[in-house]
């Protein structure tokens, strides 16, 4: 599983943005890293057992996160994509349109740098950066620790921008209400067929950057066909975070969606 891509050596740094001062603390993903490191002998049975243990621990922590979100009526969304699909730009535009209408907060996931968190900080919403080091995804424990650095009011929308990767984040539940997978025409229409686990795990797909359609050889209808083929229940939004085209439907859904178990207000 993940020790093939470096996660066995990950140490997560969690940085609280705001007030002009970034406060950073190192969080060692202890169980995750130790379990991976303990499998260096390479025996197939041992590797499978370690992978199952890692996922089991993540599931337990994700359930704890989910209970927290439900108790405080927080709608948590896990935004996933390959690098460059426009997750951060979509977040910026979403915050610009919705800030003031409902409470928003962001957890940013990247291997290195505070660049995306700095972009979000300029919007004025609370944001925490999680740097995963060699790790290729966020996990439930990282989200748990990041939540301790955020003060979320009841009814908040928590938007979690995962590390750019369409593989490992599909396996790691964060306790979110839904995975939102974001793709763009620059990637080609075959992404759902190449990465079916991610599109099966997602509840929502945003096809971003549709302002580029006139300039690219991208078949939007075929892409939608592939999405439905992999996951017939997938809710699809087509929009441009840059131009604003199609954004209204996404914003309306985000403003009106209710956390699991919460009664409509």
């Amino acid at each position: 599983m993940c020790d093939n891509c470096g996660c066995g050596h990950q140490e997560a740094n969690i940085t609280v943005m705001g007030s002009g001062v970034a406060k950073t603390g190192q969080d060692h993903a202890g169980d995750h890293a130790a379990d991976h490191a303990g499998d260096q002998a390479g025996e197939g049975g041992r590797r499978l057992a370690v992978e199952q243990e890692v996922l089991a621990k993540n599931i337990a922590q994700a359930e704890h996160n989910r209970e927290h979100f439900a108790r405080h009526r927080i709608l948590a969304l896990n935004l996933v994509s390959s690098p460059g699909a426009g997750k951060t730009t979509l977040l910026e535009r979403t915050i610009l349109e919705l800030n003031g209408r409902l409470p928003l907060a962001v957890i940013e996931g990247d291997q290195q740098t505070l660049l995306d968190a700095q972009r979000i900080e300029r919007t004025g919403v609370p944001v925490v950066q999680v740097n995963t080091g060699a790790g290729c995804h966020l996990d439930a424990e990282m989200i748990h620790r990041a939540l301790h650095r955020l003060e979320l009011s009841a009814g908040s929308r928590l938007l979690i921008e995962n590390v750019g990767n369409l593989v490992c984040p599909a396996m790691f539940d964060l306790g979110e209400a839904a995975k939102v997978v974001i793709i763009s025409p620059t990637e080609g229409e075959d992404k759902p067929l190449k990465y079916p686990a991610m599109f099966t795990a997602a509840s929502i797909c945003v096809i971003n950057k549709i302002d580029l359609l006139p300039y690219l050889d991208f078949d939007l209808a075929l892409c939608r066909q592939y999405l439905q083929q992999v996951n017939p229940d997938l809710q699809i939004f087509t929009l441009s975070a840059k131009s604003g085209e199609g954004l209204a439907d996404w914003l309306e859904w985000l403003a009106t969606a209710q956390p699991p178990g919460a009664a409509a207000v």
Side-chain angles (χ1 to χ4, degrees), residues 162-174:
N162 216 314
V163 179
N165 179 0
L166 284 176
V167 182
C168 288
M171 295 185 291
F172 284 82
D173 183 6
L174 307 180

Side-chain angles (χ1 to χ4, degrees), residues 2-11 29 32-33 36 134-137 168:
C2 294
D3 71 345
N4 294 324
C5 57
C7 288
H9 308 289
Q10 71 177 340
E11 294 179 347
H32 189 135
H36 279 304
C136 59
H137 62 272
C168 288

Side-chain angles (χ1 to χ4, degrees), residues 75-91:
L75 180 70
L77 300 177
N78 181 5
L79 276 62
V80 294
S81 79
S82 56
K87 294 192 301 300
T88 310
T89 301
L90 178 60
L91 280 174

Side-chain angles (χ1 to χ4, degrees), residues 242-262:
K242 182 176 180 180
S243 72
E245 181 182 356
L247 195 67
D249 288 342
W250 159 251
L251 295 174
E252 178 65 18
W253 178 85
L254 187 59
T256 58
Q258 295 295 317

